[in-house]
Amino acid sequence: MASSAPEQIAGEKPRDIKLNNRRIVLELLQRGDRVSLGQLAESCNLSRNTIKKCMDFFIQKGIAADAGKGSSTSEGGKKPDLFILDESWGVVGSIYSAGNMLYGALYSIGLTLLTRSEEDLSARHQANTPAYTPDELVAGCGRLMRRMLADAGKDPALLKSVTCSIHGVVDVHTGTVFSSGIGGWNGQVPLGKMLSDELFGVTVFCCNPVRSMMLSEAGQDPTVRDNSVLLYTHGHGGMAAVIRGGHIVQGKRCVLGEISGIPLNFTSHPDSDTSLGGDSLGVLVCRERLLSEISSNPALYLSSSLSGLGREPELADLFAAAEAGDELGQAVMRYAARWFAVSLRQLLFLADPDIIIIQGDYAKAGGYFLQTLQRYVQSYVAPSVSVIPDIRLSHQDEIASCMRGGAIVCRNRVFASDEMYE
């Protein structure tokens, strides 16, 4: 589909028009296809002469490159020159901080994966000493990034930006982490600046992993870009990200989506239909329900495949049992699905998404859980809402999704800078 060039606003300066034209052209180049001047002109609704000037500018800066000749027309005309985003122009880094583990990936500016690596912060520490502190995290990110640059054979000068996806409440505008706790996390950690000082002075963007994962999902499925929610569950809590028109919806204080901020004692309030997240999502809800079922109905447990494990069942065991038709496993999954439906009910009224994607602990929950959840959401929301959104389990690996999403954050921010078009 052709993109429409922005209409000239009365009084708009020629310089502003030129910069806007360059933005439009570079946006099309980011798609990764080889394109001709004619194709760009048609897609951008700009003249060939304007496109030629834009391409000359990007080639001079090293952002675009000659990509050979295209096919001649059916009438046997001259083969057109083709152009493409020059992936050698620079690289972007993506880091996912998950407790003591750091996961890193290095991508070309065209989002081609160059290398991946890991860093275990606890491996360098003696027993009973905290590894996950701001200073240790920053030092670990430095080691990780230098190792990846060396593995990929890239000069640090090519590093354009880095994204650090970290759990907690993060101000995406300043890179400040508001999480508090042991080990120096005092609720006002300027992580973005600390990482920038460690990583050769490049710009570092900090965000919650749920936002990175949302961008990765949208990159794989264009329909997700329009109006979707990603619900991420891990441990005892849940978070959500909202995307509209390809852009993550950010609140002024960057807490939009932190739905686990309100603790929920579901044993005291089993009929609550207003609470969001908290202990109602994640591992704890299944564990508590499982123990309750075993206590109230020992015969059911003894007849279940879960009793033969010789250990306390994990989430994966419960998912598999429910899929196999195990009565106890399905009872636990119904309970979990009910609490998911409670939280999704609130997200439906707040965000009104077309698609809801579940990532994290429950991404592999299976068909029984998903079908049960869809029924609960239907009963909780109807008749207030006549159209129920498409609810899906993510097919993307959590770490890989966060890595690629972080790279997308990097590239979006790099290409949004005015310096790219001056």
Side-chain angles (χ1 to χ4, degrees):
M1 180 183 295
S3 300
S4 298
E7 295 182 4
Q8 181 175 350
I9 302 174
E12 190 175 21
K13 298 179 181 178
R15 175 182 173 277
D16 295 332
I17 298 174
K18 178 174 64 177
L19 297 183
N20 287 338
N21 290 340
R22 289 174 179 173
R23 288 180 184 275
I24 295 169
V25 171
L26 186 54
E27 182 178 346
L28 290 175
L29 284 176
Q30 291 179 53
R31 298 179 183 178
D33 300 324
R34 298 192 308 162
V35 291
S36 67
L37 296 179
Q39 289 171 326
L40 286 171
E42 181 179 356
S43 297
C44 299
N45 196 23
L46 296 171
S47 70
R48 286 175 61 93
N49 185 50
T50 297
I51 296 295
K52 178 66 167 58
K53 291 179 180 178
C54 291
M55 289 307 306
D56 288 343
F57 171 80
F58 289 126
I59 290 174
Q60 183 179 7
K61 293 197 71 167
I63 300 171
D66 191 324
K69 297 285 187 179
S71 301
S72 59
T73 63
S74 57
E75 292 79 15
K78 181 180 177 182
K79 293 183 178 181
D81 293 323
L82 298 179
F83 302 92
I84 196 169
L85 190 72
D86 191 342
E87 296 208 12
S88 66
W89 176 72
V91 296
V92 293
S94 181
I95 297 173
Y96 177 21
S97 171
N100 285 334
M101 285 302 301
L102 296 177
Y103 302 95
L106 199 66
Y107 292 81
S108 72
I109 200 66
L111 298 185
T112 297
L113 177 63
L114 301 176
T115 187
R116 284 182 59 171
S117 189
E118 299 178 3
E119 177 82 10
D120 185 353
L121 298 180
S122 61
R124 294 171 174 261
H125 285 259
Q126 299 176 354
N128 302 320
T129 60
Y132 182 60
T133 66
D135 289 338
E136 291 294 344
L137 172 64
V138 170
C141 289
R143 293 190 297 269
L144 183 64
M145 188 57 60
R146 287 174 174 82
R147 184 164 64 248
M148 290 193 297
L149 287 167
D151 291 344
K154 298 296 183 181
D155 190 308
L158 290 174
L159 187 63
K160 301 300 182 181
S161 68
V162 175
T163 293
C164 180
S165 302
I166 181 169
H167 291 285
V169 181
V170 185
D171 188 332
V172 298
H173 308 299
T174 66
T176 303
V177 178
F178 294 126
S179 302
S180 60
I182 62 172
W185 295 94
N186 59 11
Q188 290 287 336
V189 176
L191 186 62
K193 183 181 185 307
M194 293 170 66
L195 285 171
S196 179
D197 292 341
E198 176 71 20
L199 300 175
F200 323 108
V202 303
T203 302
V204 177
F205 307 106
C206 297
C207 66
N208 195 289
V210 68
R211 296 181 173 93
S212 300
M213 295 174 192
M214 180 83 262
L215 285 173
S216 181
E217 296 281 352
Q220 295 296 315
D221 183 352
T223 63
V224 172
R225 293 172 53 87
D226 295 335
N227 182 31
S228 302
V229 163
L230 184 139
L231 179 64
Y232 172 75
T233 61
H234 178 72
H236 300 163
M239 298 167 285
V242 180
I243 190 170
R244 286 201 173 95
H247 299 283
I248 300 294
V249 180
Q250 306 279 15
K252 180 179 179 181
R253 285 164 289 277
C254 302
V255 295
L256 178 67
E258 308 297 338
I259 65 173
S260 62
I262 305 175
L264 176 63
N265 185 348
F266 58 89
T267 56
S268 299
H269 305 283
D271 298 321
S272 170
D273 63 354
T274 59
S275 298
L276 289 179
D279 288 342
S280 66
L281 300 179
V283 177
L284 185 60
V285 62
C286 283
R287 182 178 184 276
E288 292 292 335
R289 185 59 177 182
L290 177 63
L291 295 177
S292 174
E293 291 285 352
I294 292 173
S295 175
S296 62
N297 195 343
L300 178 62
Y301 176 65
L302 292 175
S303 66
S304 169
S305 61
L306 297 170
S307 64
L309 295 175
R311 54 174 171 77
E312 183 176 305
E314 299 176 354
L315 269 178
D317 302 318
L318 294 171
F319 296 158
E323 286 295 283
D326 185 276
E327 188 175 348
L328 177 57
Q330 291 187 344
V332 175
M333 285 298 100
R334 287 195 298 273
Y335 189 72
R338 179 177 179 274
W339 284 111
F340 267 80
V342 167
S343 290
L344 290 181
R345 180 177 186 270
Q346 308 306 317
L347 286 175
L348 282 171
F349 289 124
L350 288 171
D352 192 23
D354 299 314
I355 299 171
I356 295 176
I357 303 170
I358 296 176
Q359 175 61 280
D361 290 335
Y362 281 80
K364 295 180 175 61
Y368 181 81
F369 170 80
L370 181 60
Q371 293 164 14
T372 304
L373 173 60
Q374 290 168 337
R375 289 197 300 270
Y376 274 128
V377 171
Q378 179 73 48
S379 63
Y380 275 39
V381 174
S384 301
V385 177
S386 58
V387 178
I388 303 301
D390 175 13
I391 304 176
R392 312 172 180 176
L393 301 180
S394 175
H395 296 297
Q396 296 192 27
D397 173 78
E398 176 184 326
I399 296 174
S401 173
C402 195
M403 293 290 91
R404 184 170 179 81
I408 294 173
V409 171
C410 278
R411 194 174 77 166
N412 288 349
R413 294 296 185 91
V414 169
F415 286 163
S417 170
D418 291 339
E419 296 178 0
M420 290 289 297
Y421 310 96
E422 296 286 357

